[in-house]
Amino acid sequence: MYEMLDIAHVVADLSNVTGEVGTIPVTGTPDVTGTTRAMRTPVVGRFAPTPSGRMHLGNVYAMLAAWLSARAADGRIILRIEDIDQPRVLPDADRWIMDDLTWLGLTWDGEPVYQSQRLDRYADAIRMLSTLSSSTSCSPSVSSATVTADHLTFRTNAIYPCFCSRSDIRAASAPQEGDGFVVYPGTCRRLLQHNPDETRARLEHGDQHSLRLFAPNRNVQFTDRVFGSQTFNLAHDLGDTVIRRADGIVSYQLAVTVDDLDMGVTDVVRGRDLLRSTALQLYIREQLIASGWLADNNCDDSDDSDDRDLSERSDSTVASASVDEVSDNAFVEVSAATSVGVPSFAHLPLIDNAAGKRLAKRQRSLDMGVLRARGVSAHRVIGYCAWLLGLLAQPEPCAARDLIDHFSWERLAANRSDRRVPDDPFADFVGSDDAGAH
């Protein structure tokens, strides 16, 4: 049995009349015999592909890891088609993805869930986040100005409108060292704080704007199964983040957080490029729950009663990442604890091509359509991805189900470096090894 939940537990001291919240961190790994309530929570993983093209080898590698993580714990897998960014969606790509997953033996449970059918749910989340008071959204030392428009309340310490273009942001910002990530400089937050009348006038005039979520000066800490302990400061490492774009499309960060909460997801597996995003999603999750999100009994828009039950049962688990608030004068611990279990996270090393660049769907040589047309078997693809995950000593053909009993995160955690694959890793094996595998 592998580590099912290794995020530090945090318990809130709700009796503290001063308004400061204490924390009691519980270190170490829960007992694998299942003696804790958290360990008895059913494991729910998810596939979350974007239907912008055919799956490539890197996608299969990540989905195999997610599938094995859930199945090794006798858990369930939800298939969520992340088609919210309609301009990127390729017609029929969702069907190609489902066909490839079936061919590979990576089954899922229940009917697929489409983000494009959950837009009202995301709008509800934005409305609820906009109602948060300053005491729940940030340090009391941060002053708040308020403007009401479009049935939303905009605050400098919650959600506010941003009129900046990308060029405006680039001109006012410096990228983070290393990965080029740009932290928003807070231009429109300061506009709302110092000149709310101008913000109101621009909204009434119909100026195009996105919506941003204020990032307080707080550290978010979580333990990743592969990359270990992680700490990100919301203000310094992420900044105020767009949750609805100027074209009206809800951001990935908000949508995935809402979906994981609603669907009772307990097991998140994805690429290491999303480590930073995990901190933001944990914060959004905390804020949604603080706003009363799970008090709504209609947590799942699907007809799958099992999914609804899992979402409703998730509130019996006490588990959370640690969130620390940093003031100008002191380092003060505060709690991100809720009555809802925080998922376990595993972020995978990335898969690069022969040139050392991350695999992309535009690189057709390693997409499933091309590989299947060439006669590469499903078992060969699974075996190669299992080797990339450190589960096999050599890239040998095998079925996904044959890996379940031997699955562990330990080997991958021991080698966190990104993988590099040749342009044609199957050149010597097409039709030569497992012709009977489909």
Side-chain angles (χ1 to χ4, degrees):
M1 174 66 72
Y2 63 99
E3 294 183 0
M4 188 170 117
L5 184 62
D6 58 1
I7 295 176
H9 291 56
V10 180
V11 180
D13 179 9
L14 299 179
S15 64
N16 190 329
V17 296
T18 66
E20 296 179 356
V21 184
T23 62
I24 305 176
V26 180
T27 59
T29 303
D31 181 6
V32 296
T33 61
T35 57
T36 66
R37 296 181 71 183
M39 292 297 291
R40 293 199 298 270
T41 300
V43 173
V44 181
R46 82 292 205 274
F47 296 143
T50 299
S52 57
R54 200 81 186 232
M55 286 202 305
H56 58 62
L57 195 68
N59 302 136
V60 177
Y61 153 86
M63 290 193 184
L64 175 62
W67 188 86
L68 288 171
S69 183
R71 295 305 192 210
D74 296 322
R76 303 173 66 249
I77 282 281
I78 295 168
L79 174 58
R80 185 169 73 222
I81 304 297
E82 298 197 339
D83 61 342
I84 197 168
D85 193 349
Q86 285 293 313
R88 296 182 58 204
V89 171
L90 192 65
D92 295 325
D94 59 330
R95 301 300 172 188
W96 300 339
I97 290 168
M98 286 186 266
D99 181 63
D100 287 337
L101 288 171
T102 301
W103 176 69
L104 292 162
L106 301 179
T107 55
W108 63 91
D109 300 291
E111 293 297 317
V113 176
Y114 287 78
Q115 284 188 333
S116 59
Q117 298 173 4
R118 292 173 49 78
L119 301 183
D120 288 346
R121 193 66 174 155
Y122 308 138
D124 287 343
I126 292 174
R127 282 193 291 271
M128 293 188 78
L129 289 173
S130 75
T131 66
L132 286 173
S133 66
S134 60
S135 62
T136 59
S137 63
C138 70
S139 168
S141 64
V142 178
S143 61
S144 176
T146 302
V147 167
T148 301
D150 299 329
H151 308 291
L152 294 173
T153 300
F154 298 124
R155 294 184 176 91
T156 53
N157 57 11
I159 290 175
Y160 64 89
C162 177
F163 306 98
C164 296
S165 66
R166 290 183 180 179
S167 59
D168 293 335
I169 295 170
R170 284 195 299 268
S173 306
Q176 294 281 83
E177 291 185 9
D179 60 6
F181 183 86
V182 174
V183 174
Y184 179 65
T187 307
C188 289
R189 172 161 45 85
R190 289 192 296 272
L191 176 67
L192 175 59
Q193 183 170 2
H194 299 299
N195 196 348
D197 290 339
E198 182 177 345
T199 297
R200 184 181 296 106
R202 295 190 67 173
L203 290 170
E204 291 174 352
H205 185 262
D207 288 6
Q208 190 177 49
H209 61 277
S210 62
L211 298 183
R212 288 188 181 270
L213 178 66
F214 169 69
N217 188 17
R218 297 169 67 181
N219 288 337
V220 175
Q221 298 173 316
F222 62 94
T223 300
D224 186 77
R225 288 168 163 175
V226 177
F227 286 88
S229 179
Q230 301 290 314
T231 301
F232 294 93
N233 183 275
L234 293 170
H236 299 153
D237 295 326
L238 292 118
D240 298 355
T241 304
V242 170
I243 59 170
R244 193 182 75 193
R245 295 178 353 195
D247 59 6
I249 294 176
V250 175
S251 76
Y252 162 81
Q253 305 289 7
L254 179 69
V256 72
T257 305
V258 169
D259 291 343
D260 284 349
L261 262 175
D262 282 358
M263 298 169 191
V265 171
T266 69
D267 200 56
V268 175
V269 178
R270 54 194 180 191
R272 67 156 180 81
D273 55 322
L274 290 172
L275 271 169
R276 186 199 305 260
S277 292
T278 298
L280 174 61
Q281 289 164 25
L282 285 170
Y283 175 64
I284 295 174
R285 182 185 184 96
E286 175 202 78
Q287 296 299 287
L288 283 171
I289 294 171
S291 72
W293 184 254
L294 292 181
D296 182 356
N297 291 326
N298 299 316
C299 281
D300 189 356
D301 295 332
S302 72
D303 294 328
D304 192 327
S305 60
D306 290 340
D307 288 349
R308 283 197 301 272
D309 291 344
L310 284 171
S311 179
E312 292 163 2
R313 287 200 302 270
S314 68
D315 63 1
S316 67
T317 305
V318 179
S320 179
S322 171
V323 179
D324 299 321
E325 184 170 331
V326 184
S327 69
D328 293 336
N329 300 317
F331 186 85
V332 182
E333 285 190 342
V334 300
S335 175
T338 68
S339 60
V340 182
V342 170
S344 295
F345 296 97
H347 289 80
L348 310 176
L350 301 182
I351 305 299
D352 298 332
N353 62 18
K357 295 184 178 181
R358 185 181 176 188
L359 285 185
K361 290 181 178 178
R362 60 181 174 271
Q363 184 172 345
R364 293 294 308 282
S365 62
L366 294 178
D367 82 28
M368 291 302 103
V370 170
L371 294 179
R372 291 177 67 174
R374 287 179 49 204
V376 178
S377 71
H379 286 192
R380 175 59 66 183
V381 173
I382 291 293
Y384 194 87
C385 291
W387 172 68
L388 291 172
L389 289 168
L391 302 177
L392 295 179
Q394 298 294 330
E396 300 173 351
C398 67
R401 63 180 177 273
D402 296 334
L403 299 166
I404 293 175
D405 291 340
H406 308 289
F407 177 73
S408 170
W409 289 112
E410 292 180 3
R411 291 182 183 176
L412 193 62
N415 180 10
R416 304 170 182 173
S417 59
D418 290 349
R419 277 56 167 154
R420 183 177 295 191
V421 300
D423 290 333
D424 191 355
F426 305 105
D428 298 331
F429 302 105
V430 175
S432 65
D433 48 12
D434 51 345
H438 300 287

